[in-house]
Amino acid sequence: MSNPGTAAPQPTLARNAIGLPASTFQGITHMAPAAGVILGIAFIAGSAGAALPLAFFLALIICLLISFSINQLARHLPSAGGYYTYVSRSISPKIGFLTGWLYFLYDPLIPNLCTLTVAVYFSSAVQQLFGLNIPWWAYAGVVFLGLGALTYIGISLSIRTAIVFTVVEIVITMAMSLAIFIKYGVTGHDAIQSFTLAGVPKGVSGIAFGLIFGVLSYTGFESTVPLAEETKNPRFNIAWAAVLSVLVVGVYYVIFAFATTVGWGPAAAIKTLSTANTPFVTLAHNVAGGVGVAFLTLALMNSGWGCSLAGQNAVIRVFYKMGKVGVLPKALGRIHPRFKTPHVAVIFQTVLNFVVMIILGVTLGPLNGFGLLATVITVGLLFVYAAGMISVPIFYRREHPNETNLFLTYVFPIVGTLLLIPILYASVYPAPAFPLNLAPYVDLVWFLLGIAVLVYLSRTRPAELEAGAQEIFVETVGEVE
């Protein structure tokens, strides 16, 4: 019988639920390998031309540098708060809050980013294959309900589901790439245009703007971080999961992007790939007929589902951590006693998915909605990544001076931050077409709103604001393997 004077223990996130392989797949799945190429390639081709593989390779270098900043911080700061905790502890709780605020332009919107255009592909493929007219919004609605159910039930089930989705999409798209190489061959001309500036019609500015969507295609590797409190030995597994996921997906992207330019044709890639409504449906049909279209659609559906699931897994844990410390509504910090999930945050995120879908789908349409979301997310995330990299030398010099390393502590973070500058510049000049040109203004308004919230919290909840820097998960005896 419990002592009536003793408070009942509060439920926590499930400990030791996943290991390094599952954590790495969380990052891979969040990057949505198939969707990362299929959904963003038209935007990249519009500015980078036939040099699609070059854009993905350069983005790989940048994201590897960013992933090593996570590697360094995760060794000492495992927390479901992710970048919010990293920056709060390293720089200041106020800057950490603003970093978390900008992060909310990213993962909360990922399910819509991964679903809007996939829904158009699905609708087009079903119409072509079976003559059925299924509205894009009906498909998206089913996806969002499924996400809510899986993330409510538990992390283990949702991660296993995401792994299955990812394996299926990679096998299908790599088989398609091999079929393209066999059918069309690979010439020296293709390789030159695909991996040099010779294939870029707009020169350096074109490849820089293409990197906006190139970097966006890799975003998600950092989603391993919010799972720290549910991961075995998080100081090692989280530290390396981000790096490994970037490397795996980077190789995949370069192969798939090169296959796309070979199958579509370098000259045509510049003129028509960027304007085609569903270019990969056309490409799959040219390679394998209706069977190719069916399998590619399955791969894209798997990719969109997996990406959305991984994104929702990550963001609900950041909501949970910020709600727990009190800088967001306390209800978001509640844990379901049976499923060990932040169930209130799951419900909030699921409702948000539907609201964003309705607003963007009605006002801009799913394709333009995807383009605007992609640009908004990337511009905001550049600041989050920069804050994380700047945190590395500050944190190590102050708290772990004996562990500093010339490359990991200084060179990688500094070079990585500098490489983000031309991408940010290219997002605003020359101004892209409507609605992509709205992205910087959306980010600016969100940032100013965050400052207003920060001022309010500084006056009304200063202790809660400071607590973000201390919310570090500490393994108990028996939890570290």
Side-chain angles (χ1 to χ4, degrees):
M1 183 173 179
S2 62
N3 187 341
T6 303
Q10 294 299 309
T12 63
L13 295 171
R15 301 290 191 240
N16 296 320
I18 59 175
L20 179 59
S23 182
T24 302
F25 263 98
Q26 162 71 13
I28 293 173
T29 303
H30 198 320
M31 284 183 269
V37 176
I38 294 173
L39 303 186
I41 210 159
F43 295 94
I44 299 175
S47 56
L52 301 173
L54 177 62
F56 282 107
F57 178 74
L58 293 176
L60 167 62
I61 301 302
I62 295 171
C63 292
L64 266 180
L65 295 175
I66 298 170
S67 70
F68 272 107
S69 70
I70 293 177
N71 176 279
Q72 292 299 288
L73 294 170
R75 293 174 180 275
H76 296 285
L77 303 175
S79 170
Y83 273 102
Y84 161 63
T85 301
Y86 288 174
V87 179
S88 292
R89 179 67 169 263
S90 303
I91 302 177
S92 79
K94 292 181 179 180
I95 302 299
F97 173 81
L98 287 176
T99 301
W101 184 263
L102 286 173
Y103 174 83
F104 290 148
L105 281 173
Y106 170 51
D107 258 342
L109 302 178
I110 279 294
N112 269 278
L113 183 73
C114 294
T115 302
L116 286 175
T117 309
V118 173
V120 174
Y121 266 88
F122 172 80
S123 181
S124 174
V126 170
Q127 177 69 38
Q128 180 176 336
L129 294 172
F130 307 109
L132 299 176
N133 182 23
I134 299 180
W136 66 268
W137 51 263
Y139 173 84
V142 171
V143 170
F144 295 152
L145 288 174
L147 294 179
L150 284 171
T151 51
Y152 193 99
I153 293 174
I155 185 65
S156 296
L157 175 62
S158 59
I159 288 289
R160 287 197 299 269
T161 304
I163 290 174
V164 172
F165 285 157
T166 304
V167 171
V168 170
E169 69 178 277
I170 289 177
V171 169
I172 291 175
T173 49
M174 285 295 95
M176 177 178 167
S177 298
L178 179 61
I180 290 173
F181 292 140
I182 293 174
K183 180 172 183 177
Y184 296 102
V186 179
T187 67
H189 180 69
D190 291 332
I192 291 173
Q193 291 213 344
S194 295
F195 292 97
T196 68
L197 290 178
V200 185
K202 299 180 182 179
V204 175
S205 64
I207 199 72
F209 188 78
L211 282 175
I212 294 175
F213 293 90
V215 171
L216 174 70
S217 300
Y218 285 92
T219 54
F221 59 86
E222 73 288 333
S223 70
T224 59
V225 176
L227 274 57
E229 298 182 23
E230 297 150 285
T231 303
K232 301 173 185 176
N233 192 6
R235 298 174 192 274
F236 177 85
N237 289 334
I238 296 298
W240 284 106
V243 177
L244 292 174
S245 61
V246 170
L247 282 172
V248 170
V249 172
V251 173
Y252 169 90
Y253 279 159
V254 172
I255 294 173
F256 193 19
F258 184 44
T260 301
T261 61
V262 170
W264 198 269
I270 299 172
K271 297 179 180 179
T272 62
L273 179 59
S274 62
T275 57
N277 186 31
T278 52
F280 278 88
V281 170
T282 302
L283 185 57
H285 189 271
N286 291 341
V287 174
V291 174
V293 174
F295 273 102
L296 183 73
T297 303
L298 175 61
L300 188 56
M301 290 170 61
N302 274 268
S303 191
W305 269 83
C307 171
S308 301
L309 184 56
Q312 183 143 318
N313 268 330
V315 72
I316 60 177
R317 282 155 180 82
V318 179
F319 281 146
Y320 153 75
K321 184 60 66 173
M322 296 183 77
K324 182 181 177 183
V325 301
V327 295
L328 289 181
K330 286 282 191 180
L332 294 173
R334 295 176 185 169
I335 296 294
H336 194 282
R338 176 184 174 188
F339 298 120
K340 307 296 184 183
T341 57
H343 59 297
V344 177
V346 171
I347 295 171
F348 172 75
Q349 173 63 23
T350 303
V351 172
L352 180 64
N353 288 338
F354 278 97
V355 171
V356 173
M357 177 187 73
I358 293 170
I359 293 175
L360 289 179
V362 171
T363 59
L364 297 176
L367 295 179
N368 281 330
F370 169 84
L372 177 60
L373 271 182
T375 313
V376 166
I377 284 172
T378 306
V379 172
L381 201 57
L382 292 179
F383 287 98
V384 175
Y385 284 157
M389 286 188 285
I390 292 169
S391 295
V392 174
I394 296 174
F395 174 74
Y396 271 83
R397 282 183 62 86
R398 186 178 62 240
E399 298 198 24
H400 299 278
N402 295 332
E403 298 180 29
T404 57
N405 176 282
L406 175 61
F407 287 98
L408 295 177
T409 308
Y410 300 105
V411 175
F412 286 4
I414 293 172
V415 172
T417 303
L418 292 176
L419 288 175
L420 296 180
I421 295 176
I423 304 175
L424 181 62
Y425 179 79
S427 70
V428 296
Y429 184 84
F434 177 86
L436 275 62
N437 62 333
L438 300 177
Y441 302 103
V442 173
D443 285 286
L444 178 61
V445 169
W446 184 254
F447 181 72
L448 293 176
L449 182 60
I451 291 177
V453 174
L454 176 61
V455 171
Y456 169 78
L457 291 174
S458 298
R459 294 178 178 177
T460 60
R461 302 180 186 178
E464 288 85 347
L465 195 61
E466 294 291 328
Q470 306 304 323
E471 279 293 316
I472 310 301
F473 171 59
V474 178
E475 305 95 335
T476 58
V477 175
E479 286 189 321
V480 180
E481 294 186 1

